[in-house]
């Protein structure tokens, strides 16, 4: 431990702000501080709370605490969780005070979207004119500011706010009727509970006498209020964060929470952690130079013992396609020194990933993209999860409507609408309406089918009380006929869905291994699944990681590529004339730079296709803010003869430095040539397009069929 780290660990009484720079060992400080409280201060483990933002961070913290505390039972008694997981546990015990069922469901974004679409339909509003995502963003903003629907209606300004506040009211009424919560409700309702029930608040204040909050710069207003309520009695609150890494304003994060901590707690101790244990001096000097241009920050300067370091490489490409090819060239060259999983490509927006993906696919470089189509959003997984949700909470109309005719059992849309209308007019759930199906006015054949469905669900609910989750999943898939229906379909798509359902059991088995049968088991599993984040899918040895800069926060890689460094792309066009937004973008650049341990490669394109139009932009101001002495003097420039604006830095023109990366560069391919590929096997060239590094080969492989590959990069052997 360095001096500042030891100081932070030993200062246990009263408010403490630890301003921890990137890579400064803040998790180590937090976990050792918790161990110090137990070992040296005699604090009971159940009086300690640690809150962070991602499941991944919470798991890492738990693992480290278990290693530091000799008694595993003591380690287990400490509450270490995300904000949302903590609130789920509190609400599970106490939500009945607010009129909800303790077996409440948690809606995911797809479910929320369905609810809003239903409201728009009932109000005869056009989904294209009133996009559900925009309305949900409005509702989320209101909840993060702790504004309920009634207040939102009274404070609405203008037609659209008035309409959206009314939709917010409808939305909340549906959720209440379904005993369902969205993510924002988890925190908002916990605060409502604490303010309404003084005894409940007093219980948790006494329970959590020592509170730790990680990534405090990312807290929104609701999280800020929640933390202050919990800390209100004992005031032993330790917050850890970095104003230079506040990058979630678009989610409601308020940088003022960390900047004003000393105003909220005037007796607060402030400790700066400025020793970086991750990056080279070159990388830190670049990051410090960039972030130094911001004004809304607590000044600090990261330092490291990793003196020197490789200079920062830069790329100028002719287009986004050429940029992808150039990133590929560098990755292949670096793969001699690093594994693919040591490298990451970061971009401002997900749409920028396509050109990188195309290059990697054609170059046969393995990669993992974070933030694409999520496994849990796939149809078959959503269907299965909906069955489990209905078993746990029969009043969940959103899930029940999804599974009532899945797989198909002859229940038509008119029957569904009648059940929904009957339930709405009688103030009951769709599931309860099914049990009164004789009075709903639906065909007798549908009544018989619904009675069978009800009996099956009741039977599965009983089974859930004495089964592990994997066993229950097997029973659900069997009893509902879901697997049978997919097997009868017998298509490539249905087989893929069966494989995904089998893969889902990997998740359930991991959960089963860590838990025992109990009445809470299904609820706990569904809560865990609802709170999965993108970063939870980041695994080692899975190829080059492709992700947005926002998603990269908290991660580190040996080599980092930052692409799309052009004005209008990064920083984005919409922030150009807003100083606060521009500072947020600069903090995002700082986060991107400080993900790198050994090497940085910064890239831009001379022109780029944006929303169907090709545009040329000057290089990003963030590149200009990096001292020229930190930049490698030479850069690969693709199609430099065609480029209209040669890449220049500090008055020095960069020159093309071609690198031979494969044995193919001197090989001449022609149509009809037989080739062998390391992965795809034998094939024959059917067509050739492009020139130089852009040359592409259309190859028909004997086993894998047609593929298009880059001539210079694909692992090909020409056969005689």
């Amino acid at each position: 431990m360095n001096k500042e780290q030891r100081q932070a660990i030993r200062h246990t009484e009263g408010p403490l702000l630890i301003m921890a720079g990137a890579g400064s060992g803040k998790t180590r400080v937090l976990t050792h501080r918790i161990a110090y409280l137990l070992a040296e201060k005699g604090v009971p483990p159940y009086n300690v709370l640690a809150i962070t933002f991602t499941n991944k961070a919470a798991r890492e913290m738990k693992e480290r605490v278990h290693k530091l505390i000799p008694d595993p039972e003591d380690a287990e008694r400490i509450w270490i969780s995300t904000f949302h997981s903590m609130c789920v546990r509190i609400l599970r015990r106490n939500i009945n005070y607010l009129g909800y069922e303790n077996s409440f469901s948690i809606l995911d974004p797809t479910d929320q979207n369905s609810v809003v679409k239903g409201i728009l339909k009932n109000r005869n509003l056009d989904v294209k004119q009133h996009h559900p995502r925009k309305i949900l963003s409005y509702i989320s903003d209101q909840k993060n500011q702790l504004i309920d629907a009634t207040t939102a209606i009274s404070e609405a300004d203008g037609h659209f706010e008035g309409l959206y506040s009314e939709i917010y009211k409808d939305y909340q009424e549906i959720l209440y009727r379904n005993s369902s919560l969205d993510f924002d409700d988890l925190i908002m309702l916990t605060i409502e509970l604490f303010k309404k029930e003084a005894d409940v608040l007093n219980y948790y204040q006494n329970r959590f006498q020592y509170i730790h909050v990680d990534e405090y710069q990312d807290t929104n207003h609701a999280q800020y209020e929640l933390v202050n309520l919990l800390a209100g009695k004992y005031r032993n609150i330790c917050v850890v964060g970095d104003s230079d890494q506040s990058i979630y304003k678009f989610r409601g994060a308020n940088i003022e929470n960390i900047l004003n901590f000393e105003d909220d707690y005037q007796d607060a101790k402030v400790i700066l952690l400025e020793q970086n244990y991750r990056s080279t001096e070159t990388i830190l000097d670049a990051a410090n130079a960039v972030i130094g241009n911001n004004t809304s920050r607590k000044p600090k300067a990261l330092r490291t013992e990793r003196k020197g370091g490789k200079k920062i490489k830069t790329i100028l490409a002719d287009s986004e396609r050429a940029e992808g090819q150039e990133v590929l060239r560098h990755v292949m060259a670096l793969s001699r020194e690093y594994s693919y999983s040591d490298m990451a490509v970061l971009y401002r927006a997900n749409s920028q990933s396509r050109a990188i993906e195309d290059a990697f696919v054609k170059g046969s470089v393995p990669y993992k993209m974070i933030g694409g189509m999520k496994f849990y959003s796939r149809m078959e997984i959503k269907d299965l999860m909906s069955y489990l949700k209905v078993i746990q909470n029969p009043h969940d109309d959103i899930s029940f409507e999804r599974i009532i005719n899945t797989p198909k059992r002859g229940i038509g849309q008119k029957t569904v609408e009648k059940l929904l209308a009957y339930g709405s007019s009688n103030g009951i759930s769709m599931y309860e309406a099914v049990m009164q199906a004789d009075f709903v006015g639906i065909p007798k054949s549908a009544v018989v089918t619904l009675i069978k469905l009800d009996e099956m669900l009741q039977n599965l609910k009983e089974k859930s009380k004495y089964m592990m989750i994997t066993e229950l999943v097997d029973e659900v898939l069997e009893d509902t006929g879901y697997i049978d229906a997919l097997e009868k379909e017998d298509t490539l798509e249905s087989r893929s869905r069966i494989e995904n359902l089998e893969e889902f059991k990997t998740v359930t088995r991991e959960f089963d291994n860590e838990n025992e049968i109990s009445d809470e088991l299904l609820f706990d599993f569904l809560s865990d699944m609802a709170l999965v984040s993108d970063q939870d899918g980041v695994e080692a040895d899975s190829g080059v990681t492709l992700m947005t800069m926002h998603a990269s926060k908290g991660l580190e890689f040996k080599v980092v590529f930052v692409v799309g460094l052009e004005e209008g792309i990064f920083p984005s066009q919409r922030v150009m004339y807003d100083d606060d937004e521009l500072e947020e973008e600069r903090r995002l650049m700082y986060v991107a730079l400080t993900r790198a341990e050994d090497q940085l490669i910064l890239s831009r394109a001379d022109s780029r296709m944006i929303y169907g139009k090709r545009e040329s932009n000057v290089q990003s101001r963030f590149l200009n803010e990096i001292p020229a002495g930190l930049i490698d003097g030479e850069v690969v420039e693709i199609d430099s003869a065609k480029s209209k604006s040669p890449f220049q830095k500090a008055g020095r023109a960069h020159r093309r430095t071609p690198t031979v990366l494969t044995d193919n560069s001197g090989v001449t391919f022609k149509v009809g040539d037989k080739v062998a590929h390391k992965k795809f096997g034998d094939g024959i060239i059917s067509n050739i397009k492009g020139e130089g590094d852009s040359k592409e080969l259309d190859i028909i492989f004997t086993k894998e069929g047609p593929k298009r590959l880059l001539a210079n990069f694909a692992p090909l052997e020409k056969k005689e």
Side-chain angles (χ1 to χ4, degrees):
M1 295 286 176
N2 62 41
K3 183 180 74 174
E4 293 80 13
Q5 289 176 325
R6 288 195 299 272
Q7 205 178 352
I9 289 166
R10 290 169 180 166
H11 185 90
T12 58
E13 306 305 308
L16 172 64
L17 168 60
I18 304 174
M19 195 66 82
S24 62
K26 66 181 177 64
T27 305
R28 188 164 187 245
V29 169
L30 273 178
T31 52
H32 278 77
R33 190 175 192 273
I34 291 169
Y36 183 81
L37 283 168
L38 271 63
E40 301 297 329
K41 294 291 183 177
V43 175
Y46 50 79
N47 286 151
V48 179
L49 170 67
I51 317 170
T52 188
F53 275 81
T54 67
N55 296 321
K56 182 175 181 289
R59 275 198 306 271
E60 182 183 348
M61 200 178 291
K62 280 181 184 176
E63 288 167 5
R64 294 200 194 187
V65 165
H66 274 268
K67 289 176 182 176
L68 293 171
I69 295 173
D71 187 341
E73 290 186 9
D74 279 353
E76 201 58 44
R77 289 192 190 103
I78 301 166
W79 269 37
I80 301 175
S81 73
T82 63
F83 272 98
H84 293 98
S85 295
M86 177 186 73
C87 290
V88 167
R89 290 179 70 177
I90 292 170
L91 292 172
R92 175 65 167 161
R93 287 185 56 175
N94 304 283
I95 200 170
N96 55 299
Y97 285 110
L98 302 178
Y100 288 79
E101 297 281 340
N102 289 90
S103 58
F104 61 85
S105 297
I106 303 172
L107 302 188
D108 64 20
T110 308
D111 296 331
Q112 291 176 269
N113 206 57
S114 298
V115 173
V116 171
K117 279 184 176 177
I119 294 169
L120 292 172
K121 184 179 178 183
N122 290 338
R123 286 177 168 266
N124 293 316
L125 294 169
D126 186 0
V127 175
K128 292 179 181 177
Q129 187 178 355
H130 306 284
H131 200 285
R133 191 177 298 168
K134 187 175 181 181
I135 296 169
L136 285 167
S137 177
Y138 165 82
I139 293 171
S140 180
D141 287 345
Q142 298 300 304
K143 291 184 177 183
N144 287 336
Q145 294 299 320
L146 300 178
I147 299 171
D148 61 24
T150 304
T151 307
I153 290 170
S154 67
E155 295 179 352
D157 181 16
H159 170 70
F160 280 103
E161 267 197 26
L163 176 60
Y164 289 1
S165 63
E166 292 284 352
I167 293 172
Y168 176 17
K169 184 171 179 285
D170 293 351
Y171 173 86
Q172 217 51 34
E173 286 174 355
I174 290 171
L175 264 60
Y176 183 79
R177 194 164 63 241
N178 283 257
S179 206
S180 295
L181 281 62
D182 63 23
F183 292 157
D184 299 314
D185 282 331
L186 294 173
I187 294 173
M188 188 175 182
L189 291 181
T190 302
I191 293 170
E192 184 183 331
L193 172 70
F194 285 166
K195 290 183 174 178
K196 181 181 177 183
E197 301 293 332
D199 288 346
V200 176
L201 174 59
N202 189 55
Y203 169 82
Y204 285 103
Q205 285 178 332
N206 287 327
R207 173 78 189 265
F208 303 131
Q209 295 181 24
Y210 291 85
I211 298 171
H212 305 76
V213 186
D214 193 12
E215 305 287 9
Y216 193 64
Q217 78 282 346
D218 292 336
T219 52
N220 59 32
H221 177 68
Q223 291 159 339
Y224 167 83
E225 286 285 334
L226 178 63
V227 168
N228 286 328
L229 278 170
L230 285 171
K233 189 170 186 178
Y234 292 95
R235 302 181 80 254
N236 295 324
I237 175 171
C238 168
V239 302
V240 186
D242 181 4
S243 56
D244 291 337
Q245 296 187 71
S246 179
I247 59 172
Y248 294 119
K249 186 178 180 182
F250 69 98
R251 291 184 190 167
N254 185 358
I255 192 174
E256 299 300 322
N257 292 346
I258 194 166
L259 292 176
N260 294 339
F261 185 80
E262 293 160 87
D263 295 331
D264 294 336
Y265 298 92
Q266 295 191 4
D267 55 337
K269 172 79 171 173
V270 180
I271 297 172
L272 300 182
L273 300 184
E274 298 175 296
Q275 179 76 40
N276 176 282
Y277 295 94
R278 176 188 300 156
S279 307
T280 65
E281 186 178 35
T282 297
I283 292 168
L284 291 188
D285 285 349
N288 286 334
V290 170
I291 202 63
N293 291 281
N294 272 6
T295 56
S296 297
R297 63 188 296 258
K298 284 193 178 292
K300 65 180 185 309
L302 294 182
R303 62 183 186 273
T304 180
E305 293 178 0
R306 297 187 65 193
K307 300 302 180 186
K310 294 179 181 177
K311 286 193 173 185
I312 298 167
K313 290 185 180 296
T314 50
I315 293 171
L316 168 65
D318 185 55
S319 65
E320 74 281 359
R321 184 182 177 88
E323 182 180 50
Q325 293 166 5
E326 191 56 31
V327 169
L328 171 68
R329 287 169 63 91
H330 277 72
V331 164
M332 294 181 73
L334 287 162
S335 66
R336 299 164 186 163
E337 185 178 353
Y338 299 100
S339 67
Y340 287 128
S341 60
D342 286 332
M343 295 183 254
V345 181
L346 310 183
Y347 33 79
R348 179 64 181 83
N350 274 312
S351 57
Q352 292 172 252
S353 68
R354 185 184 59 81
I356 309 292
E357 277 193 275
D358 285 351
F360 280 15
V361 168
K362 290 170 184 174
S364 297
V365 167
Y367 68 93
K368 181 181 181 67
M369 192 169 79
I370 309 303
M373 169 89 173
K374 297 180 181 68
F375 177 76
Y376 298 104
S377 297
R378 296 182 188 278
M379 186 187 81
E380 58 278 7
I381 305 301
K382 286 283 295 174
D383 290 343
L384 175 56
M385 290 293 287
S386 294
Y387 270 109
L388 295 175
K389 286 181 181 180
V390 171
I391 293 166
Q392 169 63 29
N393 172 21
H395 304 295
D396 183 347
D397 281 1
I398 299 104
S399 297
F400 192 83
E401 186 178 354
R402 185 179 182 96
I403 58 102
I404 193 170
N405 196 42
T406 305
K408 294 192 183 304
R409 48 176 65 95
I411 304 297
Q413 189 57 35
K414 286 186 178 178
T415 296
V416 171
E417 288 171 1
K418 285 183 178 180
L419 286 167
L420 285 168
Y422 182 85
S424 180
S425 60
N426 289 278
I428 61 176
S429 67
M430 195 177 179
Y431 180 81
E432 290 169 307
V434 165
M435 291 190 283
Q436 300 176 29
D438 287 330
F439 309 103
V440 176
I442 56 179
K444 193 155 190 176
S445 59
V447 173
V448 173
T449 301
L450 290 170
I451 289 170
K452 287 182 181 177
L453 175 62
D454 175 54
E455 289 173 351
M456 178 186 67
L457 291 170
Q458 294 273 19
N459 187 35
L460 286 167
K461 189 169 186 69
E462 284 302 310
K463 289 179 179 180
S464 73
K465 295 175 183 177
Y466 59 85
M467 282 185 170
M468 298 303 287
I469 301 300
T470 307
E471 295 174 294
L472 180 61
V473 164
D474 284 333
E475 291 292 315
V476 168
L477 295 174
E478 181 71 28
D479 292 1
T480 61
Y482 197 95
I483 286 290
D484 281 347
L486 288 175
E487 287 176 343
K488 285 175 184 173
E489 198 176 315
D490 194 26
T491 62
L492 188 63
E493 186 179 0
S494 68
R495 288 194 291 274
S496 174
R497 287 180 179 159
I498 291 172
E499 288 172 5
N500 287 335
L501 289 167
E502 288 300 318
E503 179 61 27
F504 183 74
K505 292 180 195 173
T506 304
V507 178
T508 62
R509 287 189 189 99
E510 286 178 6
F511 179 84
D512 289 343
N513 290 338
E514 296 172 4
N515 295 273
E516 296 178 355
I517 290 177
S518 73
D519 292 341
E520 307 284 311
L521 192 66
L522 181 55
F523 179 88
D524 290 345
F525 175 73
L526 291 173
S527 298
D528 278 5
M529 291 300 99
L531 301 176
V532 166
S533 72
D534 278 356
Q535 282 198 356
D536 296 323
V538 180
E539 300 167 1
D541 301 319
S542 53
V544 180
T545 301
L546 274 56
M547 66 201 317
T548 64
M549 298 172 202
H550 281 101
S552 73
K553 188 156 171 291
L555 303 175
E556 56 188 47
F557 302 89
K558 299 286 187 186
V559 180
V560 169
F561 293 79
V562 183
V563 299
L565 284 168
E566 302 130 41
E567 291 286 298
I569 303 297
F570 185 51
S572 65
Q573 190 69 44
R574 62 183 178 78
V575 311
M576 293 295 193
Y577 307 106
D578 185 321
D579 289 343
D580 288 342
E581 294 286 350
L582 185 58
E583 291 212 350
E584 176 106 349
E585 291 279 284
R586 188 175 280 111
R587 290 193 290 270
L588 189 55
M589 178 66 168
Y590 176 81
V591 166
L593 296 177
T594 54
R595 298 313 92 200
E597 297 177 26
D598 296 350
Q599 289 197 53
L600 266 173
I601 298 100
L602 308 180
S603 172
R604 76 174 182 93
D606 184 51
S607 72
R608 189 178 298 274
M609 189 74 75
I610 303 169
Y611 304 124
K613 290 172 61 181
R614 183 155 294 283
E615 295 183 3
S616 295
N617 296 306
V618 299
Q619 74 179 45
S620 169
R621 69 190 69 192
F622 301 149
L623 267 175
N624 295 333
E625 292 169 358
I626 297 174
L630 303 177
I631 305 284
D632 192 328
E634 295 185 341
V635 65
V636 175
E637 180 180 321
I638 300 176
D639 293 337
S640 56
K642 299 178 185 176
S643 178
K644 303 291 186 205
S645 56
F647 187 77
Q648 294 194 346
K649 182 72 181 170
R652 294 177 303 164
H654 294 273
R655 60 186 179 275
R656 182 177 174 88
T657 54
T659 306
V660 177
L661 298 176
T662 73
D663 293 332
N664 295 347
S665 55
V667 179
T668 302
F669 293 105
K670 61 182 187 293
V671 173
D673 280 351
K674 294 179 180 178
V675 293
H677 186 279
K678 287 182 180 178
K679 180 179 178 183
F680 303 138
D682 293 340
I684 188 167
I685 298 174
S686 61
N687 191 28
I688 299 175
K689 292 173 62 179
E691 294 294 333
D693 290 339
S694 301
K695 183 183 287 186
E696 295 176 338
L697 307 178
D698 287 341
I699 305 173
I700 301 173
F701 290 100
T702 306
K703 293 181 179 178
E704 298 291 332
K707 303 280 182 186
R708 179 170 290 176
L709 306 175
L710 287 170
N712 282 358
F713 306 131
L716 290 171
E717 180 186 342
K718 192 172 176 182
K719 300 181 76 175
E720 295 301 326

